[in-house]
Amino acid sequence: MIPSESPGTGAALAETVRGLQERAARALPAEFVEHADGWWLRHDSGSSWWVASVLPHGPDGLDGSDASVATELTRRVARAEEFYARHGGTARFQITPAACPAGLDGLLAGRGYGRAHPVSLQAAAVAEVPGQRAGGPLRVRIEDRPGDAWFGVWHAVRGGGAGAAAWGLLDRVAGPSAYARLLDGDETVAVGRAVADSGWAGVFAMATLPAARGRGAGGRVLGALADWAGAHGAAHLYLQVERGNPAALRLYARAGFRELCTYHYRTAGAKP
């Protein structure tokens, strides 16, 4: 179910969504973060592109349609563009209608920013996620640091390698972290990661080798991470999943996750 403190509409939802996205930013910490009028300007030279996007949250008061609001939004966007130019990166904004100024998406479209990558932000109560199941050939091991086997599965599914950038990002995570590995015998066949932060735990880096799919691997990893989250004071889980990933959406729905909102990205110079 959706947590009771985050009803489906209104200011309470916006506050919950902002809080979760900022927790996610702490769980995926960029190399450089500049806070400008409440907006998080983030740059990272080696990690995934979404780590280096703007979180345009900040104080309320920018939801009107008068000229002063448009002028202020334009000023903030220009400051973000200057930040990315200074760091040699591409300006990219994470746009969440529930949490961002209402006119920002249209302003960015008018400046030539392309829209892409729709994502679902979802949440579940830890108590409602089926816990780790005992028995059978598959078992989950939880560790506080990733190893070669964990990275091996993640990068076999997602690409890349366990280089300095990947280690650097994980080393910057301040909150308690869990790295789950699902073992079939001695072979790691699925992985996931969780970070506890202020009563919530975020779920990241879920990946299953193709040969192990269809055997409940993802559900077992989720159950183990839910058990870990509960033991670390988290009453709720959250995660972010691409809307174009039906297999992952089905997995999370079976585990009790429900959508809080959707968001997308606007990227400078990208084709609309």
Side-chain angles (χ1 to χ4, degrees):
M1 69 177 188
I2 295 176
S4 59
E5 66 266 30
S6 55
T9 59
L13 174 63
E15 183 178 355
T16 296
V17 168
R18 288 189 189 111
L20 293 181
Q21 291 186 332
E22 290 169 10
R23 286 178 177 88
R26 291 191 288 269
L28 295 164
E31 286 180 277
F32 304 101
V33 181
E34 182 178 310
H35 296 277
D37 299 311
W39 288 16
W40 297 41
L41 314 182
R42 302 180 294 167
H43 172 71
D44 196 290
S45 58
S47 299
S48 301
W49 57 263
W50 54 84
V51 174
S53 60
V54 179
L55 280 185
H57 294 171
D60 295 328
L62 291 178
D63 289 329
S65 58
D66 57 65
S68 63
V69 169
T71 298
E72 176 61 15
L73 278 177
T74 300
R75 183 190 70 81
R76 293 191 186 192
V77 169
R79 179 170 179 176
E81 291 171 343
E82 291 169 2
F83 170 86
Y84 287 99
R86 190 164 66 247
H87 288 284
T90 299
R92 181 180 287 109
F93 288 73
Q94 184 174 315
I95 302 296
T96 310
C100 296
L104 180 58
D105 197 37
L107 173 64
L108 293 172
R111 292 170 78 92
Y113 282 68
R115 172 175 174 156
H117 306 294
V119 177
S120 174
L121 174 63
Q122 302 194 1
V126 166
E128 296 189 3
V129 176
Q132 182 177 179
R133 300 192 302 275
L138 303 178
R139 67 190 190 282
V140 181
R141 180 174 296 170
I142 297 284
E143 296 159 323
D144 60 8
R145 289 281 294 165
D148 291 340
W150 190 95
F151 270 117
V153 170
W154 169 245
H155 291 297
V157 175
R158 302 292 185 176
W167 280 106
L169 182 147
L170 297 177
D171 284 340
R172 291 191 294 271
V173 178
S177 298
Y179 295 86
R181 292 193 293 129
L182 182 69
L183 299 171
D184 185 359
D186 294 327
E187 181 186 4
T188 299
V189 297
V191 298
R193 176 170 80 96
V195 180
D197 186 340
S198 308
W200 290 77
V203 176
F204 306 91
M206 293 285 292
T208 301
L209 294 177
R213 292 172 187 166
R215 301 170 59 192
R220 283 181 174 265
V221 171
L222 269 180
L225 291 175
D227 290 344
W228 175 90
H232 285 76
H236 302 106
L237 298 175
Y238 72 92
L239 54 82
Q240 299 148 306
V241 55
E242 292 176 292
R243 294 296 301 275
N245 187 342
L249 291 168
R250 288 193 297 270
L251 166 65
Y252 300 138
R254 288 194 300 268
F257 284 83
R258 289 183 59 190
E259 185 174 278
L260 294 178
C261 70
T262 62
Y263 63 90
H264 60 273
Y265 291 87
R266 287 281 184 184
T267 303
K271 184 178 294 185

